Amino acid sequence: MIDFRQRLNDAQYEAATCGDGPVLVVAGAGSGKTRTIVHRLAWLAEQGVSPSSMLLLTFTRKAAHEMLQRAAEVGDQGLTGVQGGTFHSFAFGVLRRWRPEWLEGRGFSLMDSADITAAVKECRESLGIAKGDRSFPKTQAVVGLLSKARNKEQALDVILQREACQLLPHAESLTRLGEAYAAYRRERGLLDYDDLLFELEALLRHNDEAAAQLRARFRHILVDEYQDTNLVQARIVRLLAGPPDAAPEDMGNVMAVGDEAQSIYAFRGANVRNILDFPKLFPGARIIRLEENYRSTKPILDVANSVLSHAAESFRKHLFTRQEGGAPVRLVTTLSDKTQASLVAARIGELLERYRPGEIAVLFRAGFHSFQLEMALNQRGIAFRKYGGLRYAEAAHVKDAIAYARLLINPLDMPSFERVAALHPGIGPRTARKIHATLLSGDTAALRKALARHESLRADLDFLDTLRAHALSPAGILSSIVEQYRPHMEQVYPDDWPRRQQALEEIVQMAAGYEELDVFIADLALDTPEDEDVDEGAVTLSTIHSSKGLEWNAVLIIDLAEDRFPSRHSMSRPEEFEEERRLMYVACTRARKELDLYCPATIFDKAERGSMPVGQSPFVRELPASLVEAWSEGYGGMLRRKMSGEAFAGGRSSYADDCQLPPEERASLYRSAPSPDRSRQAPTADAGACGYCRHRIFGRGKIVRRLPPDKVQVNFPGFGLKVILAEYLLPEE
């Protein structure tokens, strides 16, 4: 017999050995979630529950395999009959036996990613949609948009409005393409990845015999990472437990394990409401909280708890550890985002004296936030690996822009000429080589003839000649190149050019520290390729999304500034702002022993052609001063520790008044902040470039310009320019 009491803490024991009925295990970060699931499986087997009546649903096959293997080792039980795997693999197995009715007895084939891309391309060609229109999104992007709309169960135009406004002119065509792709699959007996879930739901709702057999077989259902489920996955779990009209006492045994505070994948369709509303879906469900943390020190957990305490809605929990001591969490205010990179690189140098490279990680909100740090690490000879987004020198749009710069330095650079020429319609490698040869020959008449059919390339070559005639700084040159390149970028990368534009602005800022263009280009070129076989020999650079489930001894979180973390787009919707808070919580809880928070006081603004003051992230401003050891950068790059009594926040407090409120009142304010007040006349998108307004978070601001159909750009003192839905603003009183 297994001594569960000895193996588990009290909360884990309660979860692993609880009886029948629905249970929600709220597993805080580092609290032994997997250990609890493993022992739950072993306990059920010890109680005589047949493994074949257990269903373990996870988000990766690897996770299911590891849990089942560990459970078998714990109890020395034969658990080979447990069905464990992903939602999609489970759905596929069920649908092989009970085929969708619309197939009318035919078999079906499961499409892989290449099949899906080819099918969407064929549908577009058959409809003649956007033929020759380079602004229409690429096929792969279309596939992603259609999948996102299905997983979020939102209309495609809503997805575009929120995430890709530049594609709204194509909304009707994309919708028709989505309908054609759905018909294509039906006609040919095909199911794609998303179909598996919706067809399984339809089966459970409409095939009484199949639903009854599945419910009779799987008497115990365990769902891992429940906070990452989308809407249809949550409905599948509920339907497996019992019919839609089943009384609570007639439902099966469902144990959902997850942490609402780690729900950070809304962009994939995950819906935090699933876990928050679990007690409503399963009336009478027991809620068990795992709060003892086995990963981090107390100072780190204190900061994580503080971040989470301001959440508008959550299962209130308090992470704790029995470990004593621990290094204080460092809050470092840097003069700029550029000096931040230097200071972080220097700090990593210090940490390498006591940790292996693989035990150190730098986390950031978006992939391009690490560009300057990557160069700083290269200059120090510190090896790193990046996860989540390309390294700056590898990104196609960066290579495009740098090709212009390389041609300024060396007109003979054939690869760069080919890259620039390829941006223009009708120019392939052969044509590019012919034009380049003519250019080098000095034959003006021949060159004029060669460029007669390619006026846009002529414009680019004239632009380069103009740049050569002016003595500009590297930053000035790159800024001009970015402006020249933007129309090409909008055409070549219609799906996400705004994000790429933001990354190029980082390149301009990186060049600001150089006096010679060729030195800057050389530093980019000397970026050493990463060694795919080395894990522990390199520092990790990672987006926070890519860091989920991982941990390091030392974690440094950078760019904790307004419009960066939380992201600019999250400030207009309360649900997105709350997800940003959860991202911050996830980032903090990746650290075992040391945690550094970096807040630049200024950030380069391309529109202003210089660094602009920026406030600290609200998640930093909310931290009590007693929880961190505050440091600030002085001119000259030296850090100075702030003493007791000095101002804590480096930036102006956006929520200064709000932070004086109790947590529950502040949460209410955050929930209502972006909600439109229908009883008052809000400024419209036609308000023009004048007038003032108010926002519940940012305060009083001046309306700068309209952004049809329903947005305005507002300048908020202390916060800068922000794009806000007009209905979320109040008129100035």
Side-chain angles (χ1 to χ4, degrees), residues 443-473:
D443 188 335
T444 305
L447 179 62
R448 188 181 302 113
K449 181 179 179 181
L451 292 174
R453 296 172 54 193
H454 307 291
E455 285 299 320
S456 59
L457 177 57
R458 176 193 289 277
D460 269 357
L461 296 178
D462 290 343
F463 161 74
L464 290 174
D465 286 340
T466 301
L467 276 187
R468 291 190 187 97
H470 293 79
L472 298 177
S473 67

PDB file of all heavy atoms in Angstrom, residues 443-473:
ATOM      1  N   ASP A 443      26.891  52.246 -68.007  1.00  0.00           N
ATOM      2  CA  ASP A 443      26.175  52.597 -69.242  1.00  0.00           C
ATOM      3  C   ASP A 443      24.811  53.174 -68.864  1.00  0.00           C
ATOM      4  O   ASP A 443      23.850  52.443 -68.616  1.00  0.00           O
ATOM      5  CB  ASP A 443      26.017  51.356 -70.111  1.00  0.00           C
ATOM      6  CG  ASP A 443      25.458  51.684 -71.497  1.00  0.00           C
ATOM      7  OD1 ASP A 443      24.775  52.715 -71.637  1.00  0.00           O
ATOM      8  OD2 ASP A 443      25.679  50.880 -72.416  1.00  0.00           O
ATOM      9  N   THR A 444      24.724  54.499 -68.828  1.00  0.00           N
ATOM     10  CA  THR A 444      23.515  55.178 -68.368  1.00  0.00           C
ATOM     11  C   THR A 444      22.314  54.859 -69.253  1.00  0.00           C
ATOM     12  O   THR A 444      21.203  54.615 -68.763  1.00  0.00           O
ATOM     13  CB  THR A 444      23.734  56.696 -68.332  1.00  0.00           C
ATOM     14  OG1 THR A 444      24.888  56.984 -67.534  1.00  0.00           O
ATOM     15  CG2 THR A 444      22.520  57.394 -67.742  1.00  0.00           C
ATOM     16  N   ALA A 445      22.523  54.839 -70.546  1.00  0.00           N
ATOM     17  CA  ALA A 445      21.417  54.570 -71.473  1.00  0.00           C
ATOM     18  C   ALA A 445      20.884  53.158 -71.285  1.00  0.00           C
ATOM     19  O   ALA A 445      19.654  52.926 -71.266  1.00  0.00           O
ATOM     20  CB  ALA A 445      21.879  54.777 -72.915  1.00  0.00           C
ATOM     21  N   ALA A 446      21.802  52.207 -71.144  1.00  0.00           N
ATOM     22  CA  ALA A 446      21.379  50.820 -70.951  1.00  0.00           C
ATOM     23  C   ALA A 446      20.647  50.653 -69.623  1.00  0.00           C
ATOM     24  O   ALA A 446      19.660  49.910 -69.526  1.00  0.00           O
ATOM     25  CB  ALA A 446      22.595  49.888 -71.009  1.00  0.00           C
ATOM     26  N   LEU A 447      21.141  51.382 -68.613  1.00  0.00           N
ATOM     27  CA  LEU A 447      20.486  51.292 -67.303  1.00  0.00           C
ATOM     28  C   LEU A 447      19.085  51.880 -67.364  1.00  0.00           C
ATOM     29  O   LEU A 447      18.135  51.325 -66.799  1.00  0.00           O
ATOM     30  CB  LEU A 447      21.318  52.027 -66.248  1.00  0.00           C
ATOM     31  CG  LEU A 447      20.744  52.028 -64.830  1.00  0.00           C
ATOM     32  CD1 LEU A 447      20.631  50.595 -64.298  1.00  0.00           C
ATOM     33  CD2 LEU A 447      21.611  52.867 -63.896  1.00  0.00           C
ATOM     34  N   ARG A 448      18.957  53.028 -68.070  1.00  0.00           N
ATOM     35  CA  ARG A 448      17.631  53.642 -68.206  1.00  0.00           C
ATOM     36  C   ARG A 448      16.672  52.680 -68.895  1.00  0.00           C
ATOM     37  O   ARG A 448      15.514  52.547 -68.510  1.00  0.00           O
ATOM     38  CB  ARG A 448      17.756  54.937 -69.000  1.00  0.00           C
ATOM     39  CG  ARG A 448      16.457  55.744 -69.032  1.00  0.00           C
ATOM     40  CD  ARG A 448      16.595  57.017 -69.858  1.00  0.00           C
ATOM     41  NE  ARG A 448      17.665  57.862 -69.357  1.00  0.00           N
ATOM     42  CZ  ARG A 448      18.793  58.113 -70.023  1.00  0.00           C
ATOM     43  NH1 ARG A 448      18.994  57.577 -71.223  1.00  0.00           N
ATOM     44  NH2 ARG A 448      19.720  58.893 -69.507  1.00  0.00           N
ATOM     45  N   LYS A 449      17.150  51.979 -69.893  1.00  0.00           N
ATOM     46  CA  LYS A 449      16.316  51.012 -70.606  1.00  0.00           C
ATOM     47  C   LYS A 449      15.959  49.829 -69.717  1.00  0.00           C
ATOM     48  O   LYS A 449      14.819  49.353 -69.722  1.00  0.00           O
ATOM     49  CB  LYS A 449      17.058  50.527 -71.853  1.00  0.00           C
ATOM     50  CG  LYS A 449      16.264  49.536 -72.691  1.00  0.00           C
ATOM     51  CD  LYS A 449      17.051  49.117 -73.927  1.00  0.00           C
ATOM     52  CE  LYS A 449      16.261  48.107 -74.755  1.00  0.00           C
ATOM     53  NZ  LYS A 449      17.024  47.669 -75.968  1.00  0.00           N
ATOM     54  N   ALA A 450      16.939  49.361 -68.931  1.00  0.00           N
ATOM     55  CA  ALA A 450      16.702  48.207 -68.055  1.00  0.00           C
ATOM     56  C   ALA A 450      15.681  48.523 -66.967  1.00  0.00           C
ATOM     57  O   ALA A 450      14.923  47.640 -66.536  1.00  0.00           O
ATOM     58  CB  ALA A 450      18.023  47.752 -67.428  1.00  0.00           C
ATOM     59  N   LEU A 451      15.669  49.795 -66.530  1.00  0.00           N
ATOM     60  CA  LEU A 451      14.764  50.182 -65.445  1.00  0.00           C
ATOM     61  C   LEU A 451      13.431  50.725 -65.952  1.00  0.00           C
ATOM     62  O   LEU A 451      12.572  51.094 -65.142  1.00  0.00           O
ATOM     63  CB  LEU A 451      15.432  51.237 -64.551  1.00  0.00           C
ATOM     64  CG  LEU A 451      16.634  50.749 -63.727  1.00  0.00           C
ATOM     65  CD1 LEU A 451      17.289  51.926 -63.006  1.00  0.00           C
ATOM     66  CD2 LEU A 451      16.184  49.696 -62.710  1.00  0.00           C
ATOM     67  N   ALA A 452      13.264  50.780 -67.256  1.00  0.00           N
ATOM     68  CA  ALA A 452      12.041  51.366 -67.812  1.00  0.00           C
ATOM     69  C   ALA A 452      10.789  50.653 -67.339  1.00  0.00           C
ATOM     70  O   ALA A 452       9.722  51.263 -67.151  1.00  0.00           O
ATOM     71  CB  ALA A 452      12.122  51.351 -69.341  1.00  0.00           C
ATOM     72  N   ARG A 453      10.902  49.331 -67.178  1.00  0.00           N
ATOM     73  CA  ARG A 453       9.737  48.555 -66.738  1.00  0.00           C
ATOM     74  C   ARG A 453       9.684  48.399 -65.219  1.00  0.00           C
ATOM     75  O   ARG A 453       8.796  47.727 -64.703  1.00  0.00           O
ATOM     76  CB  ARG A 453       9.785  47.168 -67.388  1.00  0.00           C
ATOM     77  CG  ARG A 453       9.662  47.213 -68.906  1.00  0.00           C
ATOM     78  CD  ARG A 453       9.904  45.835 -69.498  1.00  0.00           C
ATOM     79  NE  ARG A 453       9.014  44.835 -68.887  1.00  0.00           N
ATOM     80  CZ  ARG A 453       9.190  43.520 -69.028  1.00  0.00           C
ATOM     81  NH1 ARG A 453      10.231  43.060 -69.726  1.00  0.00           N
ATOM     82  NH2 ARG A 453       8.346  42.672 -68.473  1.00  0.00           N
ATOM     83  N   HIS A 454      10.643  48.988 -64.522  1.00  0.00           N
ATOM     84  CA  HIS A 454      10.720  48.796 -63.068  1.00  0.00           C
ATOM     85  C   HIS A 454      10.955  50.138 -62.372  1.00  0.00           C
ATOM     86  O   HIS A 454      12.005  50.375 -61.750  1.00  0.00           O
ATOM     87  CB  HIS A 454      11.829  47.805 -62.728  1.00  0.00           C
ATOM     88  CG  HIS A 454      11.735  46.499 -63.457  1.00  0.00           C
ATOM     89  ND1 HIS A 454      10.736  45.584 -63.214  1.00  0.00           N
ATOM     90  CD2 HIS A 454      12.508  45.977 -64.447  1.00  0.00           C
ATOM     91  CE1 HIS A 454      10.900  44.533 -64.010  1.00  0.00           C
ATOM     92  NE2 HIS A 454      11.961  44.752 -64.772  1.00  0.00           N
ATOM     93  N   GLU A 455       9.962  51.017 -62.496  1.00  0.00           N
ATOM     94  CA  GLU A 455      10.101  52.359 -61.941  1.00  0.00           C
ATOM     95  C   GLU A 455      10.244  52.346 -60.413  1.00  0.00           C
ATOM     96  O   GLU A 455      10.912  53.203 -59.847  1.00  0.00           O
ATOM     97  CB  GLU A 455       8.896  53.222 -62.345  1.00  0.00           C
ATOM     98  CG  GLU A 455       8.927  53.678 -63.786  1.00  0.00           C
ATOM     99  CD  GLU A 455      10.150  54.535 -64.095  1.00  0.00           C
ATOM    100  OE1 GLU A 455      10.528  55.365 -63.240  1.00  0.00           O
ATOM    101  OE2 GLU A 455      10.734  54.362 -65.177  1.00  0.00           O
ATOM    102  N   SER A 456       9.615  51.392 -59.766  1.00  0.00           N
ATOM    103  CA  SER A 456       9.710  51.368 -58.298  1.00  0.00           C
ATOM    104  C   SER A 456      11.133  51.048 -57.850  1.00  0.00           C
ATOM    105  O   SER A 456      11.614  51.577 -56.847  1.00  0.00           O
ATOM    106  CB  SER A 456       8.731  50.350 -57.710  1.00  0.00           C
ATOM    107  OG  SER A 456       8.990  49.045 -58.205  1.00  0.00           O
ATOM    108  N   LEU A 457      11.839  50.178 -58.589  1.00  0.00           N
ATOM    109  CA  LEU A 457      13.238  49.895 -58.254  1.00  0.00           C
ATOM    110  C   LEU A 457      14.091  51.125 -58.523  1.00  0.00           C
ATOM    111  O   LEU A 457      15.014  51.431 -57.758  1.00  0.00           O
ATOM    112  CB  LEU A 457      13.751  48.707 -59.065  1.00  0.00           C
ATOM    113  CG  LEU A 457      15.237  48.358 -58.862  1.00  0.00           C
ATOM    114  CD1 LEU A 457      15.531  48.076 -57.397  1.00  0.00           C
ATOM    115  CD2 LEU A 457      15.632  47.162 -59.722  1.00  0.00           C
ATOM    116  N   ARG A 458      13.792  51.841 -59.603  1.00  0.00           N
ATOM    117  CA  ARG A 458      14.522  53.084 -59.887  1.00  0.00           C
ATOM    118  C   ARG A 458      14.388  54.051 -58.704  1.00  0.00           C
ATOM    119  O   ARG A 458      15.361  54.710 -58.316  1.00  0.00           O
ATOM    120  CB  ARG A 458      13.997  53.744 -61.165  1.00  0.00           C
ATOM    121  CG  ARG A 458      14.662  55.102 -61.453  1.00  0.00           C
ATOM    122  CD  ARG A 458      13.904  55.858 -62.538  1.00  0.00           C
ATOM    123  NE  ARG A 458      14.071  55.251 -63.832  1.00  0.00           N
ATOM    124  CZ  ARG A 458      15.123  55.463 -64.633  1.00  0.00           C
ATOM    125  NH1 ARG A 458      16.084  56.272 -64.240  1.00  0.00           N
ATOM    126  NH2 ARG A 458      15.195  54.869 -65.791  1.00  0.00           N
ATOM    127  N   ALA A 459      13.182  54.118 -58.142  1.00  0.00           N
ATOM    128  CA  ALA A 459      12.962  55.019 -57.005  1.00  0.00           C
ATOM    129  C   ALA A 459      13.838  54.628 -55.817  1.00  0.00           C
ATOM    130  O   ALA A 459      14.380  55.486 -55.117  1.00  0.00           O
ATOM    131  CB  ALA A 459      11.491  55.007 -56.616  1.00  0.00           C
ATOM    132  N   ASP A 460      13.983  53.324 -55.596  1.00  0.00           N
ATOM    133  CA  ASP A 460      14.837  52.872 -54.502  1.00  0.00           C
ATOM    134  C   ASP A 460      16.301  53.212 -54.762  1.00  0.00           C
ATOM    135  O   ASP A 460      17.033  53.618 -53.848  1.00  0.00           O
ATOM    136  CB  ASP A 460      14.679  51.357 -54.300  1.00  0.00           C
ATOM    137  CG  ASP A 460      13.588  51.014 -53.304  1.00  0.00           C
ATOM    138  OD1 ASP A 460      13.001  51.948 -52.725  1.00  0.00           O
ATOM    139  OD2 ASP A 460      13.312  49.809 -53.097  1.00  0.00           O
ATOM    140  N   LEU A 461      16.749  53.050 -56.010  1.00  0.00           N
ATOM    141  CA  LEU A 461      18.139  53.360 -56.345  1.00  0.00           C
ATOM    142  C   LEU A 461      18.401  54.860 -56.226  1.00  0.00           C
ATOM    143  O   LEU A 461      19.466  55.284 -55.752  1.00  0.00           O
ATOM    144  CB  LEU A 461      18.462  52.862 -57.749  1.00  0.00           C
ATOM    145  CG  LEU A 461      18.389  51.337 -57.944  1.00  0.00           C
ATOM    146  CD1 LEU A 461      18.686  50.976 -59.399  1.00  0.00           C
ATOM    147  CD2 LEU A 461      19.351  50.625 -57.010  1.00  0.00           C
ATOM    148  N   ASP A 462      17.425  55.672 -56.646  1.00  0.00           N
ATOM    149  CA  ASP A 462      17.561  57.125 -56.480  1.00  0.00           C
ATOM    150  C   ASP A 462      17.623  57.492 -55.003  1.00  0.00           C
ATOM    151  O   ASP A 462      18.373  58.398 -54.604  1.00  0.00           O
ATOM    152  CB  ASP A 462      16.390  57.847 -57.147  1.00  0.00           C
ATOM    153  CG  ASP A 462      16.437  57.761 -58.671  1.00  0.00           C
ATOM    154  OD1 ASP A 462      17.515  57.428 -59.207  1.00  0.00           O
ATOM    155  OD2 ASP A 462      15.395  58.012 -59.309  1.00  0.00           O
ATOM    156  N   PHE A 463      16.828  56.800 -54.208  1.00  0.00           N
ATOM    157  CA  PHE A 463      16.838  57.035 -52.760  1.00  0.00           C
ATOM    158  C   PHE A 463      18.228  56.764 -52.178  1.00  0.00           C
ATOM    159  O   PHE A 463      18.750  57.547 -51.377  1.00  0.00           O
ATOM    160  CB  PHE A 463      15.786  56.139 -52.086  1.00  0.00           C
ATOM    161  CG  PHE A 463      15.975  55.940 -50.616  1.00  0.00           C
ATOM    162  CD1 PHE A 463      15.687  56.961 -49.712  1.00  0.00           C
ATOM    163  CD2 PHE A 463      16.451  54.732 -50.119  1.00  0.00           C
ATOM    164  CE1 PHE A 463      15.867  56.772 -48.354  1.00  0.00           C
ATOM    165  CE2 PHE A 463      16.629  54.537 -48.764  1.00  0.00           C
ATOM    166  CZ  PHE A 463      16.336  55.561 -47.877  1.00  0.00           C
ATOM    167  N   LEU A 464      18.851  55.675 -52.603  1.00  0.00           N
ATOM    168  CA  LEU A 464      20.191  55.347 -52.102  1.00  0.00           C
ATOM    169  C   LEU A 464      21.207  56.394 -52.544  1.00  0.00           C
ATOM    170  O   LEU A 464      22.105  56.771 -51.778  1.00  0.00           O
ATOM    171  CB  LEU A 464      20.600  53.955 -52.588  1.00  0.00           C
ATOM    172  CG  LEU A 464      19.832  52.778 -51.968  1.00  0.00           C
ATOM    173  CD1 LEU A 464      20.230  51.465 -52.649  1.00  0.00           C
ATOM    174  CD2 LEU A 464      20.065  52.689 -50.472  1.00  0.00           C
ATOM    175  N   ASP A 465      21.079  56.884 -53.760  1.00  0.00           N
ATOM    176  CA  ASP A 465      21.977  57.945 -54.227  1.00  0.00           C
ATOM    177  C   ASP A 465      21.826  59.199 -53.377  1.00  0.00           C
ATOM    178  O   ASP A 465      22.814  59.872 -53.045  1.00  0.00           O
ATOM    179  CB  ASP A 465      21.681  58.276 -55.694  1.00  0.00           C
ATOM    180  CG  ASP A 465      22.193  57.202 -56.656  1.00  0.00           C
ATOM    181  OD1 ASP A 465      23.076  56.422 -56.244  1.00  0.00           O
ATOM    182  OD2 ASP A 465      21.692  57.143 -57.791  1.00  0.00           O
ATOM    183  N   THR A 466      20.596  59.514 -53.020  1.00  0.00           N
ATOM    184  CA  THR A 466      20.350  60.690 -52.184  1.00  0.00           C
ATOM    185  C   THR A 466      20.981  60.512 -50.807  1.00  0.00           C
ATOM    186  O   THR A 466      21.576  61.445 -50.255  1.00  0.00           O
ATOM    187  CB  THR A 466      18.835  60.933 -52.039  1.00  0.00           C
ATOM    188  OG1 THR A 466      18.256  61.117 -53.330  1.00  0.00           O
ATOM    189  CG2 THR A 466      18.557  62.164 -51.185  1.00  0.00           C
ATOM    190  N   LEU A 467      20.850  59.308 -50.237  1.00  0.00           N
ATOM    191  CA  LEU A 467      21.449  59.053 -48.928  1.00  0.00           C
ATOM    192  C   LEU A 467      22.968  59.200 -48.972  1.00  0.00           C
ATOM    193  O   LEU A 467      23.583  59.729 -48.032  1.00  0.00           O
ATOM    194  CB  LEU A 467      21.090  57.647 -48.441  1.00  0.00           C
ATOM    195  CG  LEU A 467      19.757  57.449 -47.731  1.00  0.00           C
ATOM    196  CD1 LEU A 467      19.664  56.021 -47.183  1.00  0.00           C
ATOM    197  CD2 LEU A 467      19.569  58.446 -46.596  1.00  0.00           C
ATOM    198  N   ARG A 468      23.575  58.741 -50.061  1.00  0.00           N
ATOM    199  CA  ARG A 468      25.038  58.839 -50.175  1.00  0.00           C
ATOM    200  C   ARG A 468      25.496  60.297 -50.206  1.00  0.00           C
ATOM    201  O   ARG A 468      26.611  60.613 -49.792  1.00  0.00           O
ATOM    202  CB  ARG A 468      25.513  58.129 -51.444  1.00  0.00           C
ATOM    203  CG  ARG A 468      25.377  56.617 -51.411  1.00  0.00           C
ATOM    204  CD  ARG A 468      26.096  55.964 -52.591  1.00  0.00           C
ATOM    205  NE  ARG A 468      25.817  54.529 -52.631  1.00  0.00           N
ATOM    206  CZ  ARG A 468      24.891  53.965 -53.374  1.00  0.00           C
ATOM    207  NH1 ARG A 468      24.141  54.725 -54.168  1.00  0.00           N
ATOM    208  NH2 ARG A 468      24.694  52.660 -53.346  1.00  0.00           N
ATOM    209  N   ALA A 469      24.631  61.176 -50.689  1.00  0.00           N
ATOM    210  CA  ALA A 469      24.995  62.587 -50.825  1.00  0.00           C
ATOM    211  C   ALA A 469      24.862  63.361 -49.515  1.00  0.00           C
ATOM    212  O   ALA A 469      25.261  64.526 -49.449  1.00  0.00           O
ATOM    213  CB  ALA A 469      24.136  63.240 -51.909  1.00  0.00           C
ATOM    214  N   HIS A 470      24.310  62.742 -48.503  1.00  0.00           N
ATOM    215  CA  HIS A 470      24.110  63.423 -47.226  1.00  0.00           C
ATOM    216  C   HIS A 470      24.895  62.704 -46.132  1.00  0.00           C
ATOM    217  O   HIS A 470      24.916  61.474 -46.070  1.00  0.00           O
ATOM    218  CB  HIS A 470      22.632  63.462 -46.843  1.00  0.00           C
ATOM    219  CG  HIS A 470      21.798  64.309 -47.752  1.00  0.00           C
ATOM    220  ND1 HIS A 470      21.369  63.878 -48.993  1.00  0.00           N
ATOM    221  CD2 HIS A 470      21.320  65.575 -47.618  1.00  0.00           C
ATOM    222  CE1 HIS A 470      20.651  64.834 -49.574  1.00  0.00           C
ATOM    223  NE2 HIS A 470      20.613  65.878 -48.763  1.00  0.00           N
ATOM    224  N   ALA A 471      25.507  63.478 -45.279  1.00  0.00           N
ATOM    225  CA  ALA A 471      26.304  62.915 -44.170  1.00  0.00           C
ATOM    226  C   ALA A 471      25.397  62.691 -42.964  1.00  0.00           C
ATOM    227  O   ALA A 471      25.272  63.541 -42.084  1.00  0.00           O
ATOM    228  CB  ALA A 471      27.448  63.852 -43.809  1.00  0.00           C
ATOM    229  N   LEU A 472      24.731  61.553 -42.954  1.00  0.00           N
ATOM    230  CA  LEU A 472      23.820  61.231 -41.863  1.00  0.00           C
ATOM    231  C   LEU A 472      24.469  60.249 -40.896  1.00  0.00           C
ATOM    232  O   LEU A 472      25.369  59.484 -41.270  1.00  0.00           O
ATOM    233  CB  LEU A 472      22.521  60.625 -42.406  1.00  0.00           C
ATOM    234  CG  LEU A 472      21.667  61.510 -43.322  1.00  0.00           C
ATOM    235  CD1 LEU A 472      20.461  60.721 -43.808  1.00  0.00           C
ATOM    236  CD2 LEU A 472      21.231  62.771 -42.603  1.00  0.00           C
ATOM    237  N   SER A 473      23.990  60.248 -39.672  1.00  0.00           N
ATOM    238  CA  SER A 473      24.446  59.276 -38.683  1.00  0.00           C
ATOM    239  C   SER A 473      23.866  57.912 -39.033  1.00  0.00           C
ATOM    240  O   SER A 473      22.887  57.821 -39.792  1.00  0.00           O
ATOM    241  CB  SER A 473      23.977  59.684 -37.293  1.00  0.00           C
ATOM    242  OG  SER A 473      22.555  59.585 -37.215  1.00  0.00           O
TER     243      SER A 473
END
